Amino acid sequence: MTPPIDKGPAGGTPAGPAGHDAIPVAAGPVPIKAIPVRHYGRWISAVIVLAVVGLIGLAFSDAKVNWDVTFDYLDDDLILKGAWNTVKITVLSMLLGLALGTLAAVMRVSRNPVMQTVSWFYIWFFRGTPVYVQLVIWYNLALIFPNFNVGFYEEPMVTFMTPFLAALLGLGINQGAYMAEIIRAGIQSVDEGQTEASHALGMSRAKTMQRVVLPQAMRVIIPPTGNQFIDLLKTSSLVSAVQYSELFFNQGVRSQDSLATAELLFTASIWYLALTTVFSIGQYYLERHYAKGSQRSLPATPFQRVRQLVFSLRRSEVPRS
Amino acid sequence: MKSSQPMVLAESVHKSFGLVEVLKGIDLQVLPQEVFCLVGPSGSGKSTFLRCINHLEKINAGRLWVDGHLVGYRQKGDKLYELKDSEVALQRRDIGMVFQRFNLFPHMTAIGNVMEAPMQVRKESKAVAYERAKRLLDRVGLADKINAYPSQLSGGQQQRVAIARALAMEPKLMLFDEPTSALDPELVGEVLDVMRGLAEDGMTMIVVTHEMGFAREVGDALVFMDGGVVVESGHPRDVLTNPQHDRTKAFLSKVL
Ligand SMILES: Nc1ncnc2c1ncn2[C@@H]1O[C@H](COP(=O)(O)OP(=O)(O)OP(=O)(O)O)[C@@H](O)[C@H]1O
Ligand SMILES: [Mg+2]
């Protein structure tokens, strides 16, 4: 049994200070001036981290790496061309992967058993074998199909299957298998009531998927997709195996010319880091866009946050002057 | 009075989920312009029956007609043929449904929700859909909220948008599945007011509700369901004030 709570004489209205005259509280709110909690742990860990970073930095500057060469090659023509090709093959493969993944995911959740099975095999095969192997197989497709022949157009496979095409198919189709699972999870995260409401309005299954389910699934789909994209950007270095001249391949070429192996590896790394950074920022804005409607107000962009901070600093100075 | 064709006619409607029979032969008819109340304890099959009317659930036996059309099937001779998805969708256009949990599309504004089906299903132009949506939102008292997202609206406001959304397809029949059960008590009135207005305008409505006051005041007919069968039916005033069956009495003593 809980004892009845004494709500004071006013019957429901909160008891004022008069009801508790034992507590000496002055009328009106008193601004709180408390001593903040000290975070000693943070200070200690920061010192340790700084020390470790310093030691690693020291090791790097002492290493037999000619950093000037690393930086010189950053804007080398072949390296720039490679970086551009890396972006190109990554974006195009991702688009292909998104298209295939969406198709496979929709087939997977459809009621048609043929579609379901086809989708299942696609995902099973292309997720189950290494992408490196898939790339090499695409590149050597002439071993299986000597000729590319679609009736109105025919060409020997060796000339048809360019490094670019092999890279695109290898990465894109593999990516599609992963995207299919991500998109399926997104579709299934949408409340069934949404589909019902849409059907009850007379919307078809296709329209319901396109207008109601997929836009809401986006919120679940985008974060892992950003992850996949950044993963793909780095995985694309594997397509040097099919002679496609992207960043890693071109870095290898330059490194053979100049014998500056380590230097060029760092050049390429800097480029990969720069690219992943740019795309991570893009991902942030995309997530923000699809949060629309799910939150009462959108989170501030980093830019807005900086502005708010600056304004709040200025504002707090006003009363002091 | 019974000369007009019923808006909904159910003959021995059965529905099972797996081995569990949820509807065990429902017979009833709903006349045009009638406010038909469906009451009964939890699990008695009220929602299931409502969902059968617009074919969100397939019935296992019996027949169900809406405005003279067999729901979900076509009869040729003594054979039944399942309707294609597109034909079912066509039937559903004429039946509006309002859900307990609103089920508004959260990624669209209030007016976007109301414009969606007319534009996507009836291929209406944006201008025409917008005008009607604005009129409907005004009618449910939300003229100042047309650009709000569902998450920015109270429960009562969301449910009123949901009613406007269903009305946008200009249905012949409206199904309400406990439209006020998810609402805070002080928000119930605003939704019931909108429904009362609809009833006055002559909309045919089937309302699953625990609001006995509304049923008594607005309802033209009332059915008490329990365990998948109709236990008692009649005019709301009669059934609510003078129930004949013990199960009805027991239920009413709990909710009144
Ligand atoms: N999709 C389903 N699969 C299996 N069982 C179901 C399904 N939908 C409903 N049921 C069962 O059917 C019975 C009737 O459910 P229904 O939702 O129609 O009841 P109700 O009268 O609307 O109750 P409430 O007042 O709680 O909404 C319940 O026992 C429920 O568990
Ligand atoms: Mg129910």
Side-chain angles (χ1 to χ4, degrees), chain B residues 27-45:
Chain B
D27 294 278
L28 55 79
Q29 66 171 352
V30 179
L31 297 176
Q33 311 214 321
E34 206 170 43
V35 176
F36 190 94
C37 299
L38 212 51
V39 301
S42 179
S44 55

Side-chain angles (χ1 to χ4, degrees), chain B residues 204-228:
Chain B
T204 314
M205 301 159 61
I206 304 183
V207 187
V208 175
T209 187
H210 292 300
E211 296 293 330
M212 296 308 159
F214 176 85
R216 193 178 355 230
E217 201 186 314
V218 185
D220 300 303
L222 184 143
V223 153
F224 173 72
M225 267 175 80
D226 194 7

Side-chain angles (χ1 to χ4, degrees), chain B residues 46-47 100 177-178:
Chain B
K46 307 180 298 289
S47 300
Q100 185 174 355
D177 192 357
E178 301 196 31

Side-chain angles (χ1 to χ4, degrees), chain A residues 111 194 196 207 211 293, chain B residues 51 85 104 107 116 120 151:
Chain A
R111 295 178 305 169
Q194 293 290 309
E196 271 179 12
K207 277 272 180 246
R211 299 284 311 171
Chain B
R51 294 158 53 81
D85 282 352
L104 287 180
H107 56 302
E116 183 64 12
Q120 296 299 328
S151 62

